[in-house]
Structures are given as structure tokens and as C-alpha cells.
Amino acid sequence: MAPRLVQRLGVPAEVLVRGARLYDPAAGLDLIADLHVRGGVIAAIGGDLDAPDAEVVDADSLTVLPAFVDPHVHLRTPGQEESEDLATGTAAAAAGGYGAILAMPNTDPVLDSVPLLEALFERGAEECVVPTGFVPAISIGLTGRQLTEMYALAERGAAGFTDDGRPVESAGLLRRAFQYVGPLGLPLALHEEDMTLSRGGAMHEGVVSAELGIGGYPAIAESAMVARDLRIARYEDGRIHLQHLSTRGSLEELAWARSVGIRVSAEATPHHLLLTDEAVRSLDANLKMNPPLASEDDRLALVEALRCGLVDCVATDHAPHASDLKEQPFEQAPNGVTGLETAFAALYTGLVEPGVVSLAVIVTAMTVAPAVAFGLEPPRLAVGASANLALWDLAADWTVRSAGFRSRSANSAFLGRRLRGRCLLTIAGGRVAHRLAAVGVSA
Ligand SMILES: [Zn+2]
Ligand SMILES: [Zn+2]
């Protein structure tokens, strides 16, 4: 069954991007040319295009990338709109160059029933600036006791299932979930955490946690669960998507899974790819998330896994929290950081510019790979494709500041950092979803 994405109605884009570098590694495209979007569709790519009715964007020295796909976003709706809602969350996505996102079900109430899913589709069709899909819960109320009505939810357009925020503690329930979801062709997206190991931990267990005297969350809390769940997926021949991997041990399990042919996809977040538990010495609650920032050895393993394709997807795990929630001592503060508006620039600055990971790998992990993992149409810079693209100034420096976010929340792990790469214009689902005021548009 096919996932359903919703987006608010809007005027289809009529834009001529003139003279940009058009870069789409999946399509083998890397050239300087004009790109004409007509009626929300890429109508032409070539030199000196003429489009009298379109807005013309002079894009000398700018780069057009396919719009990104984020398989892991918390939109906090319904129930926690003081932190985010569908309009602000998708505006944040558009500002980060995203053209499609999938929302997690740990809302209040939990997205675990057909009426709630339909209510979100209805609301999304009025409020979502970029096409948005929803991933309902595996278990009712995220309690791990009883499976949701997976068939009925899939029929209505669920994009997969997850209990994210929590692991599926019962191996028996997870096995039954794979049995139900198998014929539906949808993945189970799993937050990997053995809570009997992580309980009481507020940061990665290691030298830094010992020095700070903060309860440790050991790396094996993740890798032990990854090992278990991969074996259940293998036994049931299920499609498994591993969320926000953060440790070397988990990556060793993933390598084994690929070697024996398990149908697995896996994501890494920009914060786990770029930061370590050393940063937690600041006791800044904006560096607290689950799983926690791990050791430099774990981070290097994660970067290498992304570089070689073992980890195929980048996801933000965008987890907004209203400022009063994060303004607590580190150990009491809630887990989670925002990420949609900084993801690409952080990775470009931290990994691409220094030559650690190629632009092709980053773009693929932010477009085709997550789309394929969740059965979505991959964004393409190709004539005839729906316009899902973003215009970037890869030379622009900017400083991450709380006042600059479209998200309702500002709990970014990258606050105060200088990043390179600014998204100037995003066309998502054929509509202009984001435009930086500075973009020169002439008629
Ligand atoms: Zn999670
Ligand atoms: Zn999450």
C-alpha cells in the first residue's frame, strides 16, 4: 500500500532558475543550466530558456539540489502545539530545503487509530507547507501491549509504523508486528533502546559522564536492542528501519545484517555525525537527546558508515521543545533537539567542505535513500518530474541563532555555530514553500 502525503493547496510554481549548478547525483546530473518550473512541474532544463510568464531567479554561482526527504520528524501535533504545529514544523522543513517529511506518532493523544490519522490528514491538507506523511504507532498508546490496527491504518495511507520515543520492549509483540506489516509492504521504524540498560542515564556512559557525575546511558543499550530486532526482522523476513543509530556496536550489527541480506535501512542524525559527549561538558540542555551524543570513536564509526553506504539515510529526529521545557537542569530537561533548518548546512560545513564525505553521499542520503526506505517518490531534477527542489548558496556563511528559526522552538544543538550553505528557495510538491527575502527575483 502506498503512503499518503498531504500538503495545503497553493498556486503551482512558475519559476525560471537561471544559470544555477543543477546537481542530482541519482540522476547523474551536474551541469550549469536554466531550469524552468511550469505549473509545478519541471518543464525544461537547458541553456538560455525562455519563460515569459515565470518569475526569473538569477542563480549565478548558486546550486539547485533535489528537495530533501526527512523520515523522522516530531511535529508535536496534536497536543503539544506550544512546541510545534503542522504549519511551523513544515515551514521549518521548507527553510531547510526539505520537500517531504514523515511525522512521528508520540503526540498527545498518540497517533494510534484511523480517526486520528484521518484528522491529521485533514489538518495537514490545510496547514502543511511541504508534503507530509504520518507514521502511526506500532502499539496502542505506545504502551507496548497491543498492536494498532495496522491493516486499516495502512489502507488509509500510513507511511510505516513506529513507537519512536520508546523501544518496542516485547520481542513477541515486535514479531507479531512484523507478521502483520509484512504483507502491507511497509517498514517498521525502530527506536533502539534497552531501557533496563539506559534507565537513569542522561548522557552517554563514559569518561565524560563519570567526570560530570551524571548517570550514564551505555552504548550497549542501543546495540543490544539493534541485535535483537535485526534477528526478529530476519526471522520474519521483515522490512526494518533503524532510527538514529549512534554507536559503533550498532553499526557492527548493521554490517552483519547487510551481509546476510536482511531488508534494512538505517538513519543517522547530523548531531550524532558531528558532535560527541565532550560537548555535554557545557551542561547545555540543547545537547540532550535520546540516544545521547556518544564518544568520538562512535562518531567516527558513524561517519564512516555514512560514507560507505552502510548507513543509507540522514534523518533529523527534529524534536522541538518550548523554551521553558529546556530551561531546566541538564538531568531534568526533556530529550530532543530541532534539526530541520540546520541539517544540510551542518553536514556541508562539518563533513563535505573538509572533504570527509562527498556531496553526492550527503544528497543521496537526504533524498533517494529515505524515499526508497518508505516507499515515497524520490525527488528528481528531471524534465516531467514534479518540482521538488531547493536553491542553495553553498558559499554563504550564517550563524545559527534562536531568533532565526521558522520552527516554533529553538532547541538546536548548533546554536551559535557558523555554518556554510544557505537555502534560498524551496519548491515542494510543485509549490514555492520557502523563499529567503534576499533572493533576487525579477519578472
Ligand atoms: Zn527515538
Ligand atoms: Zn524521534
Side-chain angles (χ1 to χ4, degrees):
M1 288 179 205
R4 179 178 172 204
L5 303 187
V6 291
Q7 180 185 22
R8 76 177 187 206
L9 286 175
V11 183
E14 304 283 344
V15 177
L16 177 64
V17 180
R18 203 178 274 294
R21 177 188 179 195
L22 309 178
Y23 186 64
D24 180 354
L29 185 76
D30 186 2
L31 79 167
I32 291 174
D34 298 350
L35 182 148
H36 180 203
V37 176
R38 191 173 62 211
V41 172
I42 299 176
I45 290 174
D48 287 324
L49 296 180
D50 201 25
D53 298 328
E55 287 180 10
V56 177
V57 177
D58 295 316
D60 264 1
S61 74
L62 304 179
T63 302
V64 173
L65 300 176
F68 305 137
V69 176
D70 194 340
H72 190 155
V73 173
H74 297 270
L75 291 178
R76 303 301 191 212
T77 300
Q80 297 137 357
E81 285 86 352
E82 74 278 11
S83 296
E84 197 78 287
D85 64 28
L86 301 183
T88 58
T90 56
Y98 285 87
I101 60 173
L102 298 180
M104 298 293 105
N106 62 337
T107 48
D108 183 14
V110 169
L111 171 54
D112 61 4
S113 72
V114 167
L116 273 169
L117 179 62
E118 292 195 325
L120 276 170
F121 279 137
E122 226 166 87
R123 218 165 138 177
E126 289 176 3
E127 296 178 23
C128 289
V129 183
V130 305
T132 301
F134 297 92
V135 185
I138 293 170
S139 70
I140 292 174
L142 304 177
T143 57
R145 285 198 285 273
Q146 194 185 339
L147 294 178
T148 54
E149 287 187 78
M150 293 175 139
Y151 185 87
L153 287 160
E155 235 180 6
R156 301 315 201 281
F161 296 92
T162 185
D163 271 3
D164 182 49
R166 300 178 57 86
V168 178
E169 289 182 81
S170 159
L173 188 90
L174 184 65
R175 180 190 178 191
R176 284 207 305 286
F178 274 119
Q179 290 170 339
Y180 276 103
V181 91
L184 308 176
L186 296 174
L188 294 183
L190 299 177
H191 168 116
E192 301 293 7
E193 175 184 4
D194 183 324
M195 292 174 70
T196 66
L197 291 165
S198 63
R199 196 160 288 143
M203 69 174 292
H204 176 74
E205 180 176 281
V207 175
V208 182
S209 69
E211 284 179 24
L212 293 174
I214 292 178
Y217 177 135
I220 51 162
E222 180 183 81
S223 57
M225 204 65 156
V226 167
R228 186 200 78 171
D229 291 353
L230 286 170
R231 279 154 182 83
I232 297 170
R234 185 188 195 190
Y235 193 76
E236 293 297 341
D237 191 25
R239 266 177 70 190
I240 180 171
H241 178 78
L242 301 172
Q243 296 179 303
H244 46 50
L245 292 186
S246 66
T247 66
R248 182 179 287 276
S250 298
L251 300 168
E252 289 167 359
E253 299 299 331
L254 175 59
W256 166 80
R258 290 222 194 274
S259 76
V260 298
I262 293 171
R263 296 187 294 157
V264 59
S265 49
E267 56 182 50
T269 70
H271 47 272
H272 290 115
L273 287 161
L274 296 168
L275 302 171
T276 70
D277 60 347
E278 282 294 330
V280 179
R281 288 185 190 278
S282 65
L283 297 180
D284 177 353
N286 289 332
L287 297 166
K288 186 179 180 191
M289 72 291 290
N290 185 0
L293 297 175
S295 70
E296 176 67 359
D297 178 63
D298 292 310
R299 188 190 75 82
L300 290 173
L302 197 60
V303 169
E304 176 56 21
L306 178 68
R307 199 192 60 75
C308 73
L310 180 61
V311 164
D312 50 340
C313 304
V314 164
T316 63
D317 194 7
H318 178 82
H321 288 293
S323 56
D324 55 323
L325 295 170
K326 274 290 191 183
E327 281 162 9
Q328 300 188 64
F330 188 86
E331 288 163 277
Q332 280 91 56
N335 284 308
V337 293
T338 58
L340 288 166
E341 293 171 75
T342 51
F344 177 77
L347 294 174
Y348 187 76
T349 308
L351 298 180
V352 177
E353 274 210 318
V356 178
V357 178
S358 70
L359 181 61
V361 164
I362 297 291
V363 170
T364 303
M366 294 181 76
T367 54
V368 178
V372 168
F374 285 85
L376 311 177
E377 182 72 31
R380 287 280 157 79
L381 300 184
V383 173
S386 174
N388 285 292
L389 56 91
L391 180 65
W392 288 85
D393 184 348
L394 295 179
D397 282 314
W398 59 289
T399 301
V400 182
R401 295 194 199 286
S402 54
F405 291 120
R406 270 71 171 179
S407 170
R408 184 159 289 150
S409 297
N411 52 305
S412 164
F414 298 108
L415 279 179
R417 285 191 181 238
R418 199 146 180 81
L419 301 182
R420 200 188 285 272
R422 196 93 230 245
C423 180
L424 304 179
L425 177 78
T426 304
I427 303 177
R431 283 143 198 156
V432 174
H434 165 75
R435 184 199 299 274
L436 209 65
V439 186
V441 175
S442 51

